[in-house]
Amino acid sequence: MTRLLLLTLCLVALMPLPASARLTTQPENWEQDSGSTHDLAAIRSGGVLRVLVNQSRNSSGEIKGEPIGVEYRRLRAFEQYLNDTAPGRKPLSIKFIPKAKDQLLGALQRGEGDLVAPGEVLLAREGQNLSASLPWKEDVPLVLVTRQGNRRFVRLEQLAGRTITLPAGSAAGEAVRRVNERLAQRRMAPLVLEWTDSSLAVEDVLEMVQAGIYSYTVVEQPIAERWAKVFTKLRIDRHLVLDNSESMTWYVRRDAPMLRASVNRFLKEYRAPADQDSAFQRLYRRAYQVRNPLVAPDRKRLEAVRPTLQRFAAQSSLDWLALAAVAFKESNLNAGARGSGGATGLMQITPAAARAVGVDTVHQKESNVQAASRYMAMLRKRFFSSPRISERDRMAFVLAAYNAGPERVQSLRAEARRQGLNPNQWFFQVERVAAEQLGMGVVNYVSSVNKYYLAYQRERDGLEPRESVAAIKK
């Protein structure tokens, strides 16, 4: 009797449960997982290949219809390859999905895309359900990059104790860690690793190294050599290699073997056109002109206008260093500067914009800064107050509106939403639309001011004498 009862219970346990009993709650990320098993046949049927690209300008993007990302042409060629190898079938097109580098593989795992094309060395962690393609660049050296004229080092050990600045997601972080292990064995000071703000990609860090804001970075050699054509004051120390064991690849999910096979066949045959960087050099060479705002003469000018900037920034609940960054970009901290369209003074604000916030004149230093700070506070409150916008992006949207007008920025956000981009993120999202539609003008403006702000913020303690801070707070 006991055996019969046990047998009955086992059979009941093995019977399929009704749906309501099998799934009492929805699993986390169920919506993303529901479409995550796409292999090539399903992709062809849908007509869209979703490619997760590194949001870095180095990797992907267009400027007024001209491709400038290192992965852009390769992916367009892959799109053509897929269509050429399936004549008579429904045409397939690529949808670009830009994300931060350190978010790409997680998004692929969740089924938010079919393919990852990072344009840089990107390492998968153990346990991820991912498969790397054949490398399109093998054994990539991670090399030291600095500004021309800086001290030359013969061996990595001579860098002991110096600061290496890296963008978020850089593969060089692990290489620096291994170098520090070797230095520790020799009882030498470690390399100091400084991770930058998330608004900066690899090309931004290289620009700031050229300007002298950062002293050293470590970059994949092909990327350093590409940008050295634009940043002509960079020096690539090719003999100082921190690592050369990794490759540049694409990634697919393991449950997409046919897509991986097509990717591998394509990458094995593909050869980049000799002129693929011509538009990149032409469009970027004049766009990137950031200087170091902390050299001695500029520090002296900043100190002269600091009390005015601090006073009116406090009245408008702004960071005075943000106003300083705008002033450095607009007038080189020159209160007597004259611009086009009636813009004038330290902040290069127009009389019309000043009158809109209740300031009658912009010709004195104090009224100029007062008008600009009020105008920026008005832009922030009226157009960009949503809690969905981060503080960093809020400042970026205000800067874009200060430069190009708030209505135009709002139209760029609307277009970003239509394209499936994040309308609440300026960096690498809405700025992508701005570059496509308007060129590099407003993109470069926001990028430059942001870099000056980060440079000032890095030195905040030295720029804010304690007694002046106390006086402002009273």
Side-chain angles (χ1 to χ4, degrees):
M1 184 66 181
T2 302
R3 289 182 180 178
L4 180 60
L5 180 61
L6 288 172
L7 179 60
T8 302
L9 290 171
C10 289
L11 289 173
V12 170
L14 292 172
M15 290 175 65
L17 294 171
S20 60
R22 289 199 303 268
L23 185 62
T24 57
T25 59
Q26 293 170 340
E28 189 176 1
N29 294 328
W30 69 277
E31 288 184 323
Q32 292 93 331
D33 288 342
S34 65
S36 64
T37 57
H38 282 187
D39 201 354
L40 188 55
I43 292 167
R44 287 191 184 281
S45 176
V48 176
L49 175 67
R50 300 168 303 158
V51 182
L52 292 152
V53 293
N54 183 353
Q55 62 189 13
S56 159
R57 303 171 201 91
N58 174 70
S59 298
S60 64
E62 294 180 54
I63 298 177
K64 288 192 170 181
E66 296 198 69
I68 46 85
V70 70
E71 289 284 26
Y72 193 90
R73 288 198 181 210
R74 187 180 291 110
L75 285 166
R76 286 301 186 198
F78 182 52
E79 177 184 60
Q80 185 65 46
Y81 170 84
L82 290 175
N83 286 319
D84 289 346
T85 53
R89 291 195 182 184
K90 179 180 179 180
L92 184 149
S93 62
I94 283 180
K95 178 183 178 181
F96 292 91
I97 306 173
K99 286 188 175 291
K101 184 182 175 182
D102 54 5
Q103 298 174 12
L104 290 171
L105 296 183
L108 180 62
Q109 274 203 294
R110 292 190 298 271
E112 296 173 19
D114 307 304
L115 171 70
V116 165
E120 302 175 24
V121 172
L122 180 60
L123 305 178
R125 299 188 305 272
E126 286 188 23
Q128 288 184 305
N129 184 33
L130 306 174
S131 181
S133 71
L134 290 175
W136 56 267
K137 196 78 172 179
E138 293 186 271
D139 303 327
V140 178
L142 296 171
V143 296
L144 186 77
V145 181
T146 187
R147 176 184 167 93
Q148 289 182 16
N150 284 354
R151 177 184 169 186
R152 289 184 178 272
F153 299 99
V154 177
R155 302 179 307 279
L156 284 175
E157 291 77 10
Q158 293 175 301
L159 287 165
R162 297 181 184 272
T163 298
I164 306 294
T165 305
L166 300 179
S170 171
E174 179 61 21
V176 170
R177 186 189 65 78
R178 290 195 294 267
V179 169
N180 280 341
E181 287 179 351
R182 298 199 299 270
L183 291 173
Q185 291 172 0
R186 300 181 60 178
R187 298 185 178 181
M188 300 177 72
L191 302 179
V192 178
L193 187 52
E194 176 186 21
W195 293 99
T196 63
D197 186 84
S198 61
S199 62
L200 303 180
V202 60
E203 62 273 11
D204 299 306
V205 174
L206 287 170
E207 181 184 20
M208 294 173 82
V209 168
Q210 171 176 256
I213 298 170
Y214 300 140
S215 298
Y216 305 99
T217 190
V218 175
V219 178
E220 294 91 332
Q221 186 171 320
I223 295 175
E225 290 177 344
R226 185 176 194 240
W227 283 91
K229 299 171 186 175
V230 172
F231 303 142
T232 55
K233 295 178 182 178
L234 286 179
R235 190 183 78 218
I236 304 171
D237 289 342
R238 296 172 180 82
H239 62 290
L240 296 178
V241 177
L242 279 76
D243 184 76
N244 60 357
S245 61
E246 304 296 343
S247 299
M248 291 182 174
T249 66
W250 289 355
Y251 284 92
V252 300
R253 288 171 56 99
R254 286 181 181 166
D255 54 12
M258 299 307 295
L259 176 59
R260 183 177 184 274
S262 289
V263 166
N264 286 343
R265 285 193 296 270
F266 165 75
L267 290 177
K268 196 172 182 179
E269 299 171 4
Y270 179 74
R271 298 293 179 272
D275 66 342
Q276 77 165 359
D277 278 349
S278 58
F280 160 80
Q281 292 179 56
R282 173 170 45 82
L283 292 166
Y284 273 159
R285 185 162 287 166
R286 283 184 289 181
Y288 286 86
Q289 297 179 345
V290 164
R291 300 185 295 110
N292 186 352
L294 292 165
V295 296
D298 292 324
R299 272 184 182 262
K300 188 174 181 179
R301 278 193 288 269
L302 178 61
E303 177 57 26
V305 298
R306 174 180 55 76
T308 302
L309 294 172
Q310 286 181 316
R311 178 154 62 98
F312 291 111
Q315 290 179 9
S316 298
S317 299
L318 297 170
D319 186 343
W320 80 275
L321 291 180
L323 290 185
V326 173
F328 187 80
K329 172 65 178 175
E330 291 283 7
S331 67
N332 196 30
L333 301 173
N334 176 11
R338 296 288 182 270
S340 59
T344 189
L346 201 67
M347 309 298 293
Q348 289 294 287
I349 190 166
T350 64
R355 287 193 295 271
V357 290
V359 180
D360 294 331
T361 181
V362 292
H363 298 294
Q364 286 77 43
K365 179 177 64 176
E366 286 74 16
S367 60
N368 193 277
V369 176
Q370 180 185 43
S373 61
R374 283 188 183 180
Y375 186 69
M376 293 172 72
M378 180 273 291
L379 292 172
R380 181 185 60 192
K381 181 177 181 180
R382 185 178 296 179
F383 298 98
F384 312 113
S385 61
S386 169
R388 297 180 181 178
I389 304 175
S390 71
E391 287 306 314
R392 168 69 72 234
D393 284 296
R394 197 184 320 280
M395 184 177 85
F397 280 122
V398 168
L399 292 173
Y402 190 83
N403 177 257
E407 290 79 12
R408 180 171 288 178
V409 174
Q410 294 295 65
S411 71
L412 294 174
R413 294 179 69 197
E415 178 59 27
R417 184 181 287 108
R418 283 192 289 271
Q419 293 186 20
L421 300 171
N422 185 351
N424 296 318
Q425 181 182 329
W426 170 264
F427 294 105
F428 311 113
Q429 296 285 311
V430 177
E431 76 163 16
R432 191 181 184 91
V433 179
E436 291 170 359
Q437 294 190 355
L438 307 177
M440 285 298 291
V442 65
V443 174
N444 180 58
Y445 179 85
V446 176
S447 177
S448 298
V449 175
N450 181 55
K451 286 164 187 164
Y452 294 141
Y453 175 70
L454 292 174
Y456 285 146
Q457 196 176 45
R458 197 167 177 247
E459 299 287 328
R460 184 183 292 273
D461 289 346
L463 297 174
E464 291 183 337
R466 291 184 181 179
E467 61 275 11
S468 68
V469 174
I472 289 294
K473 290 180 179 179
K474 287 183 179 179

